[in-house]
Amino acid sequence: MTLKQFRNKPVVKIITNKYVLILGTFIVWMVFFDENSWLNHREFNKEIEKLQSEKEYYKSEIKKDDALIKNLDDKEELEKFAREEYKMKKENEDIYIIQYDTLEKK
């Protein structure tokens, strides 16, 4: 097969068309090298998804804290919370803290 016969094939004519070459170069540039490339967009989308999941987590934590704050309006609940979380006590009262050993003994 000579070079002239090779150039006359339809696939080679399409590939060597100047518009196809320019379009191919443009696509490669936009996907890999441009500031707004597809790779950057993919990275930004992953970051957006991560931030949205964090947003949902913090919203649920805020709801839990709001429920706790409403619950602590009651004086007895506030006293119970202070005793359990901060080991507070009343005057003339002894508190015994029991800790369980979680390590296995050999």
Side-chain angles (χ1 to χ4, degrees):
M1 180 184 294
T2 65
L3 185 59
K4 191 170 189 172
Q5 289 174 337
F6 184 72
R7 286 185 181 170
N8 287 335
K9 295 225 178 222
V11 174
V12 174
K13 282 186 176 184
I14 292 172
I15 291 174
T16 57
N17 185 333
K18 65 180 175 182
Y19 297 111
V20 172
L21 290 173
I22 291 171
L23 180 64
T25 305
F26 175 75
I27 289 172
V28 168
W29 180 265
M30 292 305 289
V31 170
F32 296 107
F33 302 115
D34 191 49
E35 184 178 317
N36 300 316
S37 71
W38 175 76
L39 298 173
N40 286 345
H41 278 284
R42 196 175 79 187
E43 210 172 292
F44 292 147
N45 286 338
K46 285 180 184 179
E47 188 173 340
I48 288 171
E49 289 173 6
K50 178 184 156 202
L51 291 173
Q52 286 175 341
S53 67
E54 286 181 12
K55 178 181 171 183
E56 292 302 318
Y57 168 76
Y58 288 123
K59 280 185 177 182
S60 68
E61 289 297 312
I62 288 171
K63 285 181 183 180
K64 287 179 190 176
D65 290 342
D66 284 341
L68 179 64
I69 289 170
K70 287 180 183 177
N71 196 16
L72 292 178
D73 284 340
D74 184 22
K75 187 175 182 175
E76 290 179 13
E77 288 294 324
L78 181 62
E79 185 177 316
K80 178 183 172 187
F81 180 79
R83 286 172 180 259
E84 290 175 358
E85 294 296 319
Y86 298 108
K87 314 295 188 262
M88 293 183 169
K89 64 177 188 152
K90 293 181 182 178
E91 284 187 34
N92 301 324
E93 183 178 57
D94 294 326
I95 295 180
Y96 298 99
I97 300 173
I98 301 171
Q99 293 181 341
Y100 296 100
D101 188 17
T102 57
L103 299 175
E104 293 183 18
K105 294 181 180 178
K106 294 182 180 179

